Amino acid sequence: MMELQITWFVLVGVLLLGYALLDGFDLGVGSLYLLTKDPDERKRMLYSIGPYWDSNQVWLLTGGGAIFAAFPMVYATVFSGFYLALMLVLFALIFRAVSIEFQHQLDSPGWRKWWDLGFGFGSLLPSILYGVAVGNILRGIPLDAKGGYLGDFLGLLNPYSLVMGLVSLSLFAMHGAAFIISQSDGALQQKARRWARAAWLALIPLFLTGTAWSYLGTPRLFSNYFDVPLLWVLPLIALIGLASFPAALKGGSAYGPLGASALTIFGLLTTMAASLFPYIVPASNNLANSLTVFNASSSERTLMIMLILALIGLPLVLTYTAYIYRTFIRSTRVMTTGNKHSMKT
């Protein structure tokens, strides 16, 4: 039973990591979209994420479904406690999708301006709220003995979690700018390099502030690292990604910055997962009320059946994702650069 519970903790983490890596760059592109008013640049930025942004949502849906099936108490607590925040995220994602589909339906500057704003803010808001949610999970939320949330929406907007929201915004902006670099050339690529550097410069002090705040305010987040020193390799991966990012930008490689930002996201999310274990939703008022891998899971039979389904379904999701990127990566770069030979540069 214990092995199954830990396996599902890892599987849910893999799905959420896949979502952060893939949807992170298109949320970043959408947030950066607000920084340019050039219609041609905006069009090329939309082209760059065109075939991917909706397929990336599959990872979020699969991750949410996995939490519902494997850890139903966690699903119930988070979705009831974070209800208003999750509705804001949902409305933003819906408005973002509608904006992408509708903005080319009428040839009117006013019409397009409205949907441009919808796409930009529909990307910006989830980028912040995801970090706010992570911040609240890391510090813990007030829970009763049955795992029910005792706080309110304003309680989620505490200073620590808002800092984590800015961390996720700058991280996704850095990842998005790196993706634009990989898919563009000329003035847009140079502009994306400046955006990427600015996002990296913003991320460094925010990351250090968040780390110091976590250590001083929630020291239990570091206990697993002192018990199992091998885990320090995870934050080390994040630091290598962060440290190599500016060098990748200066190196002129189209894909180097994207690799560095992906490495940073991988390191940060695995570090957070290792910090939380075995807690999934820690209780800030009484740690005994926390929802853990072991007290919030489904039955052994359910976990086993779900594991068989996951062993069939996860390779399908991976194959589907690989197929989408393999099929469209060349055409999107040609559309954003207008250069049929751009993949060779």
Side-chain angles (χ1 to χ4, degrees):
M1 179 67 172
M2 183 180 293
E3 291 80 4
L4 272 175
Q5 292 164 323
I6 295 173
T7 300
W8 270 104
F9 179 77
V10 173
L11 279 175
V12 169
V14 168
L15 292 170
L16 297 181
L17 175 62
Y19 176 69
L21 285 170
L22 296 176
D23 211 37
F25 73 71
D26 68 57
L27 287 173
V29 170
S31 301
L32 295 170
Y33 192 83
L34 296 168
L35 299 181
T36 180
K37 295 186 182 302
D38 186 314
D40 181 61
E41 288 183 350
R42 286 187 162 183
K43 183 170 68 175
R44 292 165 66 193
M45 290 168 72
L46 270 179
Y47 280 158
S48 73
I49 64 169
Y52 316 119
W53 68 269
D54 48 356
S55 64
N56 293 338
Q57 307 291 320
V58 170
W59 290 82
L60 179 62
L61 296 174
T62 311
I67 295 173
F68 174 75
F71 302 105
M73 288 180 64
V74 172
Y75 186 91
T77 297
V78 170
F79 275 73
S80 59
F82 295 6
Y83 185 77
L84 184 54
L86 289 173
M87 286 299 103
L88 285 173
V89 169
L90 182 61
F91 285 135
L93 291 177
I94 291 173
F95 200 58
R96 177 173 182 260
V98 171
S99 298
I100 293 173
E101 298 296 333
F102 272 48
Q103 63 173 254
H104 300 295
Q105 300 303 317
L106 285 180
D107 188 17
S108 163
W111 173 270
R112 181 161 297 180
K113 181 180 179 181
W114 169 255
W115 294 115
D116 279 344
L117 290 173
F119 174 60
F121 284 104
S123 304
L124 183 74
L125 187 61
S127 297
I128 296 172
L129 289 179
Y130 287 151
V132 170
V134 168
N136 278 289
I137 293 296
L138 288 174
R139 74 191 288 268
I141 57 176
L143 298 176
D144 62 25
K146 295 182 179 179
Y149 180 55
L150 296 174
D152 54 25
F153 174 70
L154 292 179
L156 300 176
L157 302 179
N158 53 80
Y160 172 79
S161 298
L162 290 175
V163 168
M164 299 305 286
L166 294 176
V167 168
S168 67
L169 174 63
S170 53
L171 183 63
F172 286 166
M174 186 178 85
H175 199 40
F179 184 77
I180 297 171
I181 292 169
S182 74
Q183 295 294 297
S184 64
D185 63 359
L188 178 58
Q189 189 185 66
Q190 292 306 313
K191 187 176 282 187
R193 289 185 183 278
R194 293 196 293 274
W195 288 338
R197 180 168 178 76
W200 179 81
L201 287 172
L203 176 60
I204 293 298
L206 288 167
F207 169 74
L208 293 175
T209 301
T211 303
W213 204 329
S214 300
Y215 183 76
L216 296 173
T218 319
R220 63 169 166 74
L221 292 174
F222 292 80
S223 60
N224 286 340
Y225 291 93
F226 294 110
D227 294 339
V228 185
L230 184 62
L231 291 176
W232 285 105
V233 73
L234 299 176
L236 181 62
I237 289 173
L239 290 175
I240 291 172
L242 274 175
S244 62
F245 191 77
L249 280 178
K250 286 183 180 177
S253 166
Y255 289 95
L258 187 61
S261 63
L263 192 66
T264 304
I265 292 174
F266 175 85
L268 289 178
L269 263 65
T270 52
T271 296
M272 287 189 286
S275 300
L276 276 174
F277 186 85
Y279 301 104
I280 303 179
V281 184
S284 58
N285 52 327
N286 182 357
L287 210 53
N289 294 344
S290 302
L291 300 179
T292 72
V293 172
F294 307 113
N295 70 8
S297 73
S298 296
S299 67
E300 183 174 5
R301 185 176 183 181
T302 300
L303 292 179
M304 179 56 75
I305 293 173
M306 288 299 300
L307 182 60
I308 294 171
L309 293 176
L311 291 175
I312 298 171
L314 189 58
L316 291 177
V317 173
L318 288 170
T319 303
Y320 163 74
T321 303
Y323 175 78
I324 293 293
Y325 279 81
R326 181 180 172 81
T327 302
F328 293 107
I329 194 69
R330 180 178 174 83
S331 60
T332 53
R333 183 161 169 81
V334 170
M335 290 175 74
T336 53
T337 63
N339 181 5
K340 293 182 179 179
H341 305 289
S342 58
M343 287 297 289
K344 298 178 180 178
T345 59

